[in-house]
Amino acid sequence: TYILLVIMLVQLTGSMFLVPVLPSLLADDFATARLDNGTALHCSDYEPSAAPEACVLAHGDVVAWSTTSGFVQNAVFSILVSPALGAWSDVHGRRPVILLSQLLSVAPIVILILHLSGVTRLCWIYAVQAVTQSVSVIAPSLAYMSDRIDRDDRAAAFGLIIASFSVAILIGPPIGALLPLHVVPYATLLMLAAAIVGTALFLPESIRTADVDGGLNPGTHRTSSSMKAGFVNALQILRRSPLFVKLTTILVITAATGEALQDMLIQYLQLQLGFTPADTSIMFMALGAGALLVQGVLLHILLKWLGETRLLLVGLVVGGLQQLLLVLATSKWQAISAVALGSLSSVTFPTISGIKANNSSSQEQGAVQGALYGARALASGVGP
């Protein structure tokens, strides 16, 4: 599991190199397209009150394309792909699915390189992401953890998966902000290549040989049938019991609102408070530091102290408070503080995943996590 965490950290840190620069590049791309005269427009050169109309409207264009891409990715592809791949991994192993996700993540970087070379518009990155990001690294990683970790420690272990995101958010954006623009995509590609090599050469399969040989596992026939059923099987899992229904409902609501906020937040802050790439980098550093503290240190303690139900409630309340504070923010530091406080709401997903994993058999961890991620993906597509 430590090998998996290191690989995820490398992969995610590389992807975070893009965070400070990509929102501004997208706004510039749409603003330039609105001018319709071939003149390049750099919206970050203007204060919000003095920005040209093309820049103001470009922020809305970014959100429209982002939410549409997210809907196609999550509500169309992921809801079908994640449950099927989860069930497939119960038979054939987690490592091939993790590797597939890593290989697909290279495609959007190629689009960025082509854009910086003047070959294509950057907006096409949304079409590519709608397909490639439907195969997520999260679901098979959670199933991998379930295979290796004892029941009582699963929620905390799932928190470490989320903590790897936090570390990546903490160190990735500052590096991306310091690198020359034309170097950023190549640095990201280098990190992704390292993660792919690490998975292929050093990550052991988490399922026993008898479980993946296609013939010795008594659950193979059942799981293969579930894989074919895909979406139908996911629905059966998620409504298996009143507990599963309640947890899925909570997950859907938090994913819909959280993803909507994420899709619009940076464009909103650029438009309202004049956020620059440097400000965005600082905000993500604050988010990463807070989430790292929560996932890496406090989650295990809070689970022992509050229990899963009370901790889930705390996460939901803090998430609502964060969004209220963002609405009321009138300065950059207030918005950054609200985002940092909201890092405590990151306890919800690992807590829900842990509860469901502990109420499922060892032969269906991939199917359960795939179904759970599929429901989360559907909400993440509809919410924005």
Side-chain angles (χ1 to χ4, degrees):
T1 57
Y2 285 109
I3 295 174
L4 174 63
L5 289 173
V6 171
I7 290 171
M8 288 194 65
L9 178 60
V10 171
Q11 176 182 350
L12 295 169
T13 300
S15 67
M16 288 296 163
F17 290 169
L18 304 174
V19 166
V21 299
L22 195 56
S24 296
L25 287 175
L26 285 164
D28 292 348
D29 181 61
F30 282 104
T32 299
R34 279 187 171 274
L35 289 181
D36 203 26
N37 61 9
T39 303
L41 190 58
H42 301 285
C43 297
S44 57
D45 293 340
Y46 301 91
E47 292 294 327
S49 58
E53 183 182 14
C55 287
V56 176
L57 297 175
H59 294 295
D61 293 336
V62 171
V63 172
W65 277 69
S66 175
T67 54
T68 301
S69 171
F71 178 80
V72 174
Q73 170 197 326
N74 293 304
V76 178
F77 289 118
S78 288
I79 192 64
L80 300 174
V81 172
S82 292
L85 284 178
W88 186 90
S89 74
D90 285 332
V91 180
H92 301 285
R94 320 297 183 198
R95 193 173 66 168
V97 182
I98 295 174
L99 193 58
L100 175 62
S101 172
Q102 293 169 334
L103 291 170
L104 290 175
S105 66
V106 172
I109 314 304
V110 174
I111 296 297
L112 177 57
I113 292 173
L114 293 175
H115 170 71
L116 293 177
S117 302
V119 176
T120 183
R121 283 194 59 191
L122 187 57
C123 63
W124 292 112
I125 198 171
Y126 288 122
V128 173
Q129 287 177 334
V131 178
T132 60
Q133 292 187 357
S134 63
V135 182
S136 170
V137 73
I138 298 177
S141 298
L142 294 176
Y144 191 102
M145 283 288 193
S146 295
D147 298 333
R148 296 280 183 170
I149 301 296
D150 292 336
R151 291 170 54 91
D152 294 341
D153 295 322
R154 280 176 180 166
F158 293 163
L160 292 178
I161 293 287
I162 309 301
S164 63
F165 280 84
S166 305
V167 176
I169 290 173
L170 183 61
I171 63 179
I175 296 174
L178 291 174
L179 292 173
L181 179 59
H182 67 279
V183 174
V184 171
Y186 295 101
T188 300
L189 279 179
L190 181 62
M191 297 289 279
L192 289 176
I196 291 169
V197 171
T199 300
L201 299 183
F202 302 110
L203 183 67
E205 180 54 61
S206 63
I207 300 180
R208 296 170 311 199
T209 304
D211 292 335
V212 297
D213 65 1
L216 298 181
N217 180 16
T220 298
H221 176 72
R222 177 194 57 77
T223 310
S224 299
S225 300
S226 298
M227 180 185 65
K228 295 174 184 177
F231 178 66
V232 175
N233 179 60
L235 289 178
Q236 293 173 344
I237 290 176
L238 296 178
R239 60 184 180 87
R240 171 182 297 173
S241 67
L243 172 65
F244 273 39
V245 171
K246 293 174 184 176
L247 292 174
T248 302
T249 302
I250 294 171
L251 180 67
V252 165
I253 294 172
T254 55
T257 54
E259 196 71 23
L261 175 66
Q262 178 179 316
D263 268 23
M264 290 183 285
L265 179 59
I266 297 178
Q267 299 300 322
Y268 172 81
L269 294 176
Q270 286 178 345
L271 188 61
Q272 292 291 102
L273 302 178
F275 260 55
T276 64
D279 297 323
T280 302
S281 174
I282 293 172
M283 182 185 71
F284 275 96
M285 286 177 63
L287 174 63
L292 178 60
L293 175 64
V294 171
Q295 301 293 342
V297 179
L298 297 180
L299 179 59
H300 189 67
I301 298 173
L302 292 173
L303 280 169
K304 299 293 185 184
W305 181 36
L306 296 175
E308 293 170 330
T309 302
R310 291 188 181 91
L311 181 58
L312 188 56
L313 182 60
V314 169
L316 296 172
V317 171
V318 171
L321 180 61
Q322 175 207 28
Q323 298 193 31
L324 176 62
L325 293 176
L326 283 169
V327 170
L328 300 176
T330 57
S331 65
K332 293 179 181 179
W333 74 264
Q334 290 175 346
I336 292 172
S337 299
V339 170
L341 173 65
S343 60
L344 185 56
S345 66
S346 63
V347 300
T348 55
F349 184 62
T351 302
I352 291 174
S353 297
I355 295 173
K356 287 202 170 185
N358 290 339
N359 285 273
S360 307
S361 68
S362 60
Q363 287 79 28
E364 60 176 1
Q365 291 297 323
V368 169
Q369 297 301 338
L372 189 63
Y373 191 82
R376 185 172 186 262
L378 176 62
S380 297
V382 174

